[in-house]
Amino acid sequence: MTTNRPKVEDLHLVNLTKSFDDFKAVDNLTLTIPAGSFFALLGPSGCGKTTTLRMVAGLEEPTSGQIKLGSEDITSFPPYKRWVNTVFQSYALFPHLSIYENVAFGLRRQKSADIDKQVKAMLELVELTTLAQRKPQQLSGGQQQRVAVARALINEPDVLLLDEPLGALDLKLRRQMQLELKRIQIEVGITFVHVTHDQEEAMTMADTVAVMNEGRIEQMGAPLTIYEKPRTAFVANFLGQSNLFEGTVAGVEGDELAVKVKDTVIYVPLNSTEIRSGRIVLGVRPEKVKIVDQGKTGLPKNQIQGSIHNTAFVGVSTQYEVLSSWGQEISAFEQNVDPSDLGRPGQLVTLAWEPRHSFVLDPDEDLTAGLDTTWDE
Amino acid sequence: MSIVQESIPVKIKVKKNKTAYYLILPGIGWLVLFFLVPFFTLLATSLQKPAGTTPDDGYLPALRFSNYSSALSEYYPQFFRSFVFSGIATVVCLLLAYPIAYYMATKATKYRNLMLVLIVAPFFASYLLRTNAWKTILSGDSFVVSILNSLNLLPDGRILNTPIAVIAGLVYTFLPFMILPLYASLEKIDIRLIEAAGDLYASPRQSFLNVVWPLSLPGVVSGTLLTFIPASGDYINAELLGSINDKMIGNVIQSQFIDLRNYPTASALSFTFMALILVLVYLYISRAGTDELV
């Protein structure tokens, strides 16, 4: 590897826009990805995440805006002059070259020293040493995926771009590779930018998740933060599931805001919103909601009366659809600690959760955003 | 509870489907009738001896191997010329066809089909007619020749009746046979492989040399074979566009058969030519290492 290269730098996207005819795939995106972080761009098909990635790789030319590595503007650099490597969705391994030569490809183009030593060390890292002389089509999907990672990583790029690299793998292998990639990232300390439409994948692997929709970033932050405190309906619905309620502010009670939703009052912490009057939208995650027989006491403060509409036993949990008194369907997930008595449809129940588990959304939004998203590309 | 594992011999009755064999029967029949029979007839003819002093006396069955040595010693320049001409024509075809095929496979999304039709279009006119048309185009008073002459590009002041005309004719005739297989193999190359090469620090030139070219080799091999083999056996171009000094082996065989009615010599030449082509193709394919390509 060239030694006169500067240390790994932050990746800056500044007002980045990409239009195809009159369709804006990426809309005025400004974003800084800190050096050494594992960053996930999460969103449904067509949200612009892959286009963003391809612009960073140099495979797509931005309509406007800048891409900078550290202080250097690389917007106009051709792909082969950027210290950025990509793990392609389809892997794009060279079919005419052995695994060894696939991995050595980047180093050979740069005329590196010690190619043999580096390739062997890299094959060791991804546990493919014994398959070095095979051709890509003789390998399984998971092995090919590891070759694709090795082929990109060996160049020690400033940024490694991963374009849905696990999409072609079955669920079990995908989980395994997620942990593997995370391990490798920690080991090599390179910035990883991972594009995916799989929310679990994004949350498992990344330090920072940016949820993208229609060419813009809806919300960005640590997985825990954006999951617990989604700011938009899209994020609330796309990242896991949410129960959303429309209501009007009834007043402030202590450090809580009382919100009237139909015939019920729901409380949210005051510090979770600036809104003090008028219309408001709030939400709660299904797993925070307790489901108990009506008439029980000692329950959390937020309570909704309803009747069970549907029960689905899914092993680790039981998922209930409950019809509230005003006819809204509300989801509640119960851990199956003692699953002997599942609720029956028609059974009257109380749903309850702590006010601190509520989150507040922008009231002017479409509450169904992110609901009709298809999961497969 | 114990798990009893019993190995039950499973008899699967494989019903042998013979349909495939029946389907190739007509083809085999055709080949026997129109390839194997003439092949051995030709072989027998190539060893015959004259019955009298003139071709009218006919020929008698014999094992006259000297037919081969005398044919070869008399006509080796034409053999040599055939392979040189068709070799040059093949290389020129490759140089012309590759960019066209590459453009069609990668860039010309809109005009791809039109280009394919245009490339095949010359086949709608008779081969003889097209070569005769070239005779007019390249003749001494044509504008092509006058333009080239005014630029002082022609050493003899003419094109017709020169080796250049014959090679140009061969290139023209066989160019589609080079373009089509090249196009077929280039079109199969995943554009993402080229992107991946660029991503891995390969300049456009390096991407071509390390990815595109090796992946197009099957097309290169079949294109060059489809051009070289028929071009070296061609006699129309040499006949119509070349001088008496530009005769190829096809011309010799033709005149031996038709004009001189010297069937044994013509057959011996045909066989020698076949053998030489086989050897050349074998050497070429083993050099090109086609096992690497599949």
Side-chain angles (χ1 to χ4, degrees):
Chain A
M1 221 37 228
T2 42
T3 45
N4 55 353
R5 261 179 65 204
K7 288 281 285 176
V8 175
E9 303 265 20
D10 293 354
L11 175 69
H12 304 279
L13 311 183
V14 185
N15 301 328
L16 202 61
T17 298
K18 176 70 187 180
S19 309
F20 296 104
D21 299 321
D22 49 0
F23 169 69
K24 268 195 180 161
V26 176
D27 190 1
N28 203 21
L29 192 71
T30 299
L31 180 64
T32 293
I33 298 171
S37 65
F38 199 128
F39 189 93
L41 272 175
L42 174 68
S45 315
C47 74
K49 57 191 194 302
T50 294
T51 309
T52 306
L53 198 79
R54 288 174 61 83
M55 286 194 284
V56 176
L59 300 170
E60 210 82 63
E61 205 186 326
T63 310
S64 63
Q66 278 180 312
I67 300 162
K68 293 204 272 188
L69 259 179
S71 55
E72 191 177 20
D73 186 344
I74 61 165
T75 318
S76 58
F77 285 22
Y80 62 96
K81 288 193 178 154
R82 299 181 183 211
W83 295 115
V84 166
N85 288 110
T86 310
V87 178
F88 291 87
Q89 185 172 16
S90 55
Y91 312 143
L93 301 179
F94 303 119
H96 59 299
L97 298 178
S98 65
I99 299 313
Y100 182 97
E101 282 305 320
N102 265 282
V103 175
F105 193 91
L107 296 182
R108 292 214 191 285
R109 303 290 84 73
Q110 300 170 80
K111 311 225 185 316
S112 300
D114 273 346
I115 291 179
D116 187 58
K117 213 177 107 200
Q118 293 188 56
V119 172
K120 284 187 171 145
M122 185 49 74
L123 288 172
E124 193 89 26
L125 181 74
V126 295
E127 291 159 16
L128 286 171
T129 310
T130 52
L131 302 176
Q133 294 315 316
R134 301 267 186 95
K135 290 284 174 67
Q137 59 269 35
Q138 295 171 293
L139 267 56
S140 71
Q143 290 166 338
Q144 291 188 21
Q145 202 275 333
R146 268 149 47 205
V147 178
V149 172
R151 187 180 72 169
L153 261 187
I154 197 168
N155 305 295
E156 295 175 21
D158 283 355
V159 180
L160 185 77
L161 305 172
L162 301 115
D163 183 9
E164 306 245 7
L166 309 178
L169 306 180
D170 63 61
L171 192 68
K172 205 172 166 191
L173 195 53
R174 195 151 74 216
R175 296 281 172 264
Q176 193 184 326
M177 290 305 300
Q178 285 169 4
L179 300 174
E180 191 82 341
L181 277 176
K182 183 72 191 164
R183 173 183 72 83
I184 292 173
Q185 195 264 339
I186 292 168
E187 208 165 311
V188 297
I190 292 171
T191 314
F192 275 37
V193 180
H194 184 113
V195 154
T196 182
H197 65 269
D198 181 341
Q199 35 140 347
E200 270 182 48
E201 186 170 302
M203 290 195 284
T204 315
M205 301 169 80
D207 318 321
T208 309
V209 176
V211 181
M212 257 188 111
N213 184 33
E214 292 176 355
R216 287 173 296 104
I217 287 185
E218 292 263 342
Q219 191 175 353
M220 195 170 107
L224 186 73
T225 317
I226 55 171
Y227 185 80
E228 293 294 322
K229 298 286 170 206
R231 279 203 307 263
T232 68
F234 180 84
V235 176
N237 290 326
F238 187 76
L239 205 66
Q241 291 183 38
S242 296
N243 296 304
L244 301 181
F245 307 98
E246 276 186 86
T248 46
V249 175
V252 177
E253 289 179 21
D255 55 357
E256 283 166 355
L257 191 69
V259 175
K260 190 156 172 53
V261 177
K262 308 289 176 184
D263 55 3
T264 310
V265 176
I266 296 174
Y267 299 90
V268 289
L270 260 189
N271 59 13
S272 63
T273 178
E274 310 271 272
I275 297 170
R276 292 292 178 265
S277 65
R279 212 173 84 85
I280 190 166
V281 171
L282 44 89
V284 63
R285 296 287 186 185
E287 69 273 16
K288 315 281 192 206
V289 179
K290 283 199 167 63
I291 178 165
V292 292
D293 290 331
Q294 279 188 356
K296 278 216 174 161
T297 52
L299 294 174
K301 198 170 176 185
N302 288 337
Q303 295 180 15
I304 289 174
Q305 307 304 320
S307 62
I308 296 180
H309 180 61
N310 213 338
T311 307
F313 177 71
V314 286
V316 291
S317 65
T318 305
Q319 308 192 349
Y320 294 97
E321 296 291 337
V322 174
L323 277 181
S324 69
S325 52
W326 61 90
Q328 183 180 353
E329 238 175 50
I330 301 166
S331 301
F333 299 167
E334 297 305 299
Q335 285 286 318
N336 281 329
V337 182
D338 187 14
S340 53
D341 57 339
L342 297 181
R344 301 261 168 271
Q347 195 177 329
L348 296 177
V349 289
T350 301
L351 298 174
W353 71 93
E354 298 290 350
R356 67 189 151 88
H357 290 146
S358 308
F359 50 83
V360 179
L361 305 177
D362 182 347
D364 300 324
E365 266 192 288
D366 173 14
L367 298 189
T368 59
L371 274 183
D372 53 349
T373 316
T374 45
W375 291 93
D376 40 6
E377 290 280 280
Chain B
M1 197 178 81
S2 67
I3 297 163
V4 184
Q5 270 199 332
E6 256 184 292
S7 73
I8 307 163
V10 182
K11 266 191 191 162
I12 299 169
K13 207 176 162 192
V14 180
K15 199 180 154 199
K16 281 202 180 136
N17 195 336
K18 294 204 178 95
T19 318
Y21 296 105
Y22 295 138
L23 284 173
I24 61 168
L25 274 180
I28 292 200
W30 185 274
L31 280 177
V32 168
L33 202 59
F34 294 107
F35 177 72
L36 280 188
V37 172
F39 182 86
F40 286 108
T41 315
L42 197 70
L43 184 63
T45 313
S46 74
L47 297 170
Q48 283 173 352
K49 61 179 184 192
T53 45
T54 68
D56 290 334
D57 300 329
Y59 297 91
L60 293 173
L63 286 174
R64 202 172 175 234
F65 289 100
S66 61
N67 285 343
Y68 281 82
S69 49
S70 56
L72 202 59
S73 61
E74 196 177 345
Y75 296 110
Y76 74 88
Q78 282 85 348
F79 271 114
F80 183 70
R81 192 180 294 132
S82 294
F83 293 129
V84 169
F85 280 10
S86 58
I88 295 173
T90 304
V91 172
V92 175
C93 274
L94 182 63
L95 294 176
L96 289 175
Y98 207 101
I100 296 173
Y102 188 82
Y103 177 80
M104 287 202 312
T106 56
K107 304 264 156 46
T109 44
K110 202 170 162 192
Y111 297 107
R112 181 177 296 165
N113 288 335
L114 178 68
M115 286 180 78
L116 277 172
V117 169
L118 288 178
I119 285 159
V120 183
F123 293 123
F124 291 118
S126 145
Y127 169 29
L128 214 55
L129 212 64
R130 285 183 281 141
T131 311
N132 261 313
W134 277 106
K135 206 170 170 173
T136 317
I137 295 168
L138 300 179
S139 67
D141 47 3
S142 75
F143 77 98
V144 177
V145 176
S146 358
I147 290 171
L148 291 175
N149 262 330
S150 65
L151 296 170
N152 270 333
L153 283 173
L154 300 174
D156 322 343
R158 63 194 170 98
I159 298 181
L160 202 61
N161 299 329
T162 66
I164 294 174
V166 179
I167 292 168
L170 290 173
V171 168
Y172 164 75
T173 308
F174 296 104
L175 191 59
F177 297 99
M178 185 67 91
I179 294 176
L180 294 176
L182 276 179
Y183 167 74
S185 73
L186 284 167
E187 200 242 4
K188 272 190 289 185
I189 297 179
D190 189 341
I191 191 92
R192 289 171 293 194
L193 294 178
I194 303 169
E195 289 187 349
D199 188 68
L200 293 164
Y201 310 107
S203 64
R205 199 183 70 91
Q206 290 174 319
S207 292
F208 177 78
L209 290 176
N210 293 296
V211 178
V212 179
W213 175 257
L215 287 175
S216 69
L217 275 184
V220 173
V221 170
S222 52
T224 44
L225 289 178
L226 282 175
T227 308
F228 180 77
I229 297 171
S232 48
D234 182 80
Y235 67 96
I236 303 280
N237 282 286
E239 182 76 38
L240 296 177
L241 304 174
S243 74
I244 193 82
N245 298 320
D246 304 324
K247 295 289 183 229
M248 292 167 68
I249 196 63
N251 304 87
V252 178
I253 295 172
Q254 189 239 8
S255 76
Q256 291 285 337
F257 252 117
I258 310 290
D259 305 332
L260 306 174
R261 285 188 284 155
N262 187 350
Y263 305 130
T265 303
S267 307
L269 285 170
S270 299
F271 255 89
T272 313
F273 176 67
M274 233 188 297
L276 285 174
I277 283 278
L278 271 178
V279 170
L280 284 173
V281 167
Y282 174 77
L283 289 177
Y284 176 64
I285 289 181
S286 50
R287 272 296 303 278
T290 37
D291 55 325
E292 279 284 298
L293 308 175
V294 272

